[in-house]
């Protein structure tokens, strides 16, 4: 059909033509008929050009919605939120209308359609949700011991139109654990340094006493204790610096080939040259050909030294310390075995923690810092090694590390 302007022009033209024909008509009846016919035709053209009144259904479909489109029901948002590792929950009012896979895994599938204040069962969450949007309400709330004791999550919300909002949950348990480890490390290091320092100061004060010169034998004994405690402090500081350097390098994989057999052989030779009688109990078994791996020579020597000296300290005197190098399952394996009192199974998972000691009194008696196996673990991880500690009470222990060979 024509638009309204074109229809009006056509109607007027038609009437004008009818008027001319009526003026030329021989009788009045014919003129009247022509004008009447032209009028009806013009009216019909104009009527057809006027748009029809919209029906109720059409109005509902075409009129703009009074409410903004929901982000929570947008397919793109659902795809994006489904890929997020953090739990995402969408609510309208207080009813859960959307939950991604992470939220369903954390809270359970029953939260769909539930009240958000019962879906997240935590007193702090219910109080925060009730006050959300009010002046002074914090941006996020901490959920301690949620969903299990010892864990901590945080919850924050983003407001949307039409009383909708997105609630985001974030796991902070690992961050808290790392902070506790840092605090424990500082406290343990301070304690380990304070103990020998207190002994040194105490004996120095005794020697400074005017009566301290009366007994030369006592003086020599005190000086020997001072030297021992000072060396203990020195070793602790060296171990702390060492573990700090190793952690700084943990993401840089070694790229230089190193003969592990040569490194272990040199370490054993150096130990045998010391005054420690246990060094003569070391029995080294290795192939004649080189055993190359990609590694850091100094760190691998430190790894071997720490494991072997542990066996020397905790193995029974006069029993062999077996140091074995072999190829097994496509890897290069270093193992050190001793015949000692062994370690109870409950202690094995924690032996590589900093300052952890299965036997506190004995460790201090033999002069351990509590960092030896922690250093071994970090060096092993940097070299893509697999550390294994096996022990049997009354029989002894075996510490082994296997490395991928250099290609």
């Amino acid at each position: 059909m024509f638009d309204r302007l074109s229809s009006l022009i056509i109607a007027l033209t038609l009437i004008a033509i009818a008027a001319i024909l009526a003026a030329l008509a021989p009788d009045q009846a014919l003129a009247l008929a022509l004008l009447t016919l032209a009028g009806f035709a013009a009216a019909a053209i104009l009527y057809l050009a006027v748009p029809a009144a919209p029906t109720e259904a059409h109005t509902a479909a075409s009129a703009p919605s009074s409410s903004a489109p929901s982000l929570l029901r947008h397919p793109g948002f659902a795809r994006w939120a489904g890929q997020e590792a953090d739990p995402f929950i969408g609510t309208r009012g207080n009813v859960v209308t959307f939950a991604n896979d992470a939220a369903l895994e954390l809270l359970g599938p029953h939260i769909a359609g539930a009240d958000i204040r019962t879906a997240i069962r935590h007193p702090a969450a219910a109080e925060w949700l009730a006050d959300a949007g009010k002046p002074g309400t914090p941006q996020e709330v901490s959920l301690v011991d949620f969903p299990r004791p010892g864990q901590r999550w945080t919850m924050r919300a983003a407001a949307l139109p039409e009383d909708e909002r997105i609630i985001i949950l974030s796991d902070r348990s690992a961050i808290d654990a790392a902070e506790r480890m840092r605090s424990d490390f500082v406290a343990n290091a301070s304690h380990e340094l304070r103990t020998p320092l207190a002994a040194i100061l105490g004996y120095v004060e005794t020697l400074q006493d005017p009566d301290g010169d009366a007994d030369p034998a006592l003086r020599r004994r005190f000086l020997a204790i001072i030297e021992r405690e000072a060396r203990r402090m020195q070793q602790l500081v060296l171990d702390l610096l060492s573990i700090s350097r190793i952690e700084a390098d943990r993401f840089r994989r070694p790229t230089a080939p190193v003969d592990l057999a040569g490194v272990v052989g040199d370490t054993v030779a150096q130990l045998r040259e010391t005054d420690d009688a246990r060094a003569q109990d070391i029995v080294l078994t290795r192939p004649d050909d080189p055993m190359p791996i990609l590694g850091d020579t100094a760190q691998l020597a430190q790894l071997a030294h720490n494991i072997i000296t542990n066996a020397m300290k905790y193995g029974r005197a006069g029993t062999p310390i077996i140091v074995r190098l072999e190829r097994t399952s496509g890897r290069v394996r270093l193992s050190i075995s001793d015949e000692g009192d062994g370690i109870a199974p409950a202690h094995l998972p924690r032996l590589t923690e900093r300052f952890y000691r299965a036997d506190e009194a004995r460790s201090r008696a033999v002069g351990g810092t509590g960092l030896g196996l922690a250093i071994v673990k970090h060096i092993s991880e940097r070299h893509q090694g697999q550390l294994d500690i096996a022990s049997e009470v009354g029989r002894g222990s075996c510490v082994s590390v296997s490395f991928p060979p250099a290609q």
Side-chain angles (χ1 to χ4, degrees):
M1 295 298 294
F2 302 109
D3 58 25
R4 284 179 288 186
L5 179 59
S6 300
S7 299
L8 179 60
I9 294 173
I10 293 172
L12 292 176
T13 303
L14 183 61
I15 291 173
I17 293 173
I20 294 172
L21 293 176
L24 297 175
D27 55 46
Q28 190 175 4
L30 180 59
L32 184 60
L34 288 173
L35 290 173
T36 302
L37 183 61
F40 276 115
I45 292 172
L46 292 175
Y47 175 78
L48 293 176
V50 177
T55 63
E56 184 178 351
H58 180 73
T59 302
S62 60
S65 173
S66 59
S67 61
S70 172
L71 172 65
L72 300 177
R73 289 187 290 273
H74 193 284
F77 171 78
R79 284 194 299 271
W80 171 78
Q83 297 172 1
E84 287 296 305
D86 284 342
F88 275 63
I89 303 171
T91 63
R92 188 180 185 92
N94 283 318
V95 178
V96 176
T97 59
F98 172 84
N100 67 352
D101 292 341
L104 296 176
E105 182 178 352
L106 176 68
L107 302 173
H110 63 277
I111 67 170
D115 191 301
I116 186 61
R117 293 165 293 185
T118 59
I120 303 177
R121 295 185 178 90
H122 194 281
E127 182 180 352
W128 185 78
L129 288 167
D131 295 338
K134 296 181 181 178
T137 304
Q139 295 296 317
E140 68 176 27
V141 63
S142 180
L143 309 180
V144 180
D145 291 333
F146 173 84
R148 287 172 289 278
Q151 295 187 334
R152 184 178 75 90
W153 289 65
T154 58
M155 181 172 69
R156 62 187 188 277
L160 300 174
E162 300 297 320
D163 200 23
E164 290 187 328
R165 60 183 169 183
I166 301 172
I167 295 172
I168 306 166
L169 297 169
S170 302
D171 190 359
R172 294 291 183 266
S173 305
I175 296 174
D176 287 355
E179 181 62 24
R180 284 195 301 271
M181 287 180 62
R182 187 193 66 81
S183 299
D184 292 345
F185 175 74
V186 172
N188 287 327
S190 301
H191 174 74
E192 292 293 333
L193 287 169
R194 188 166 57 246
T195 302
L197 184 59
I200 291 171
L201 291 175
Y203 284 110
V204 167
E205 290 174 2
T206 303
L207 291 173
Q208 287 176 337
D209 192 299
D211 297 334
D213 295 333
D215 189 349
L218 185 63
R219 182 183 182 87
R220 286 193 298 271
R221 186 166 69 87
F222 285 178
L223 288 173
I225 294 173
I226 291 173
E227 181 186 14
R228 184 188 67 206
E229 295 299 327
R231 291 191 183 280
R232 179 179 164 191
M233 287 183 62
Q234 180 187 43
Q235 186 59 52
L236 179 59
V237 171
L238 290 174
D239 283 350
L240 289 171
L241 292 174
S242 178
I243 202 167
S244 177
R245 284 194 298 266
I246 295 166
E247 286 185 336
D249 290 338
R250 68 185 181 274
F251 296 120
R252 292 199 292 267
R253 298 293 185 197
T255 57
V258 175
D259 179 17
L260 184 60
V263 171
V264 174
D266 292 343
T267 302
V268 171
Q270 291 171 6
L271 288 170
R272 284 175 177 164
E273 292 174 358
T274 64
D275 296 333
D276 195 328
R278 284 288 285 154
Q280 306 310 314
D281 296 328
I282 299 174
V283 179
L284 175 60
T285 304
R286 62 174 181 175
D288 294 331
D289 55 325
M291 305 181 76
I293 66 171
L294 297 180
D296 182 305
T297 302
Q299 289 186 2
L300 291 172
Q302 187 176 17
L303 176 143
H305 181 276
N306 285 4
I307 302 175
I308 296 172
T309 52
N310 264 5
M312 292 166 59
K313 292 173 185 175
Y314 298 107
R316 285 188 289 270
T319 59
I321 300 166
I322 308 299
V323 180
R324 186 185 303 275
L325 276 163
E326 58 189 339
R327 291 183 176 86
T328 175
S329 301
R331 296 174 72 86
V332 177
R333 183 173 182 265
L334 167 66
S335 62
I336 293 95
S337 305
D338 66 70
E339 296 178 14
D341 295 335
I343 304 167
H347 295 293
L348 293 178
R350 301 190 61 189
L351 288 179
T352 57
E353 294 180 14
R354 301 171 183 177
F355 298 111
Y356 184 81
R357 293 181 173 92
D359 187 340
E360 185 99 7
R362 188 179 179 192
S363 295
R364 294 191 185 280
V366 298
T369 63
L371 292 172
L373 286 178
I375 292 173
V376 167
K377 183 191 76 169
H378 287 295
I379 294 175
S380 173
E381 289 177 347
R382 188 190 175 210
H383 289 75
Q384 298 178 287
Q386 296 175 357
L387 174 64
D388 180 68
I389 303 175
S391 187
E392 186 177 347
V393 176
R395 297 287 301 273
S397 306
C398 178
V399 179
S400 64
V401 190
S402 64
F403 301 96
Q407 300 298 325

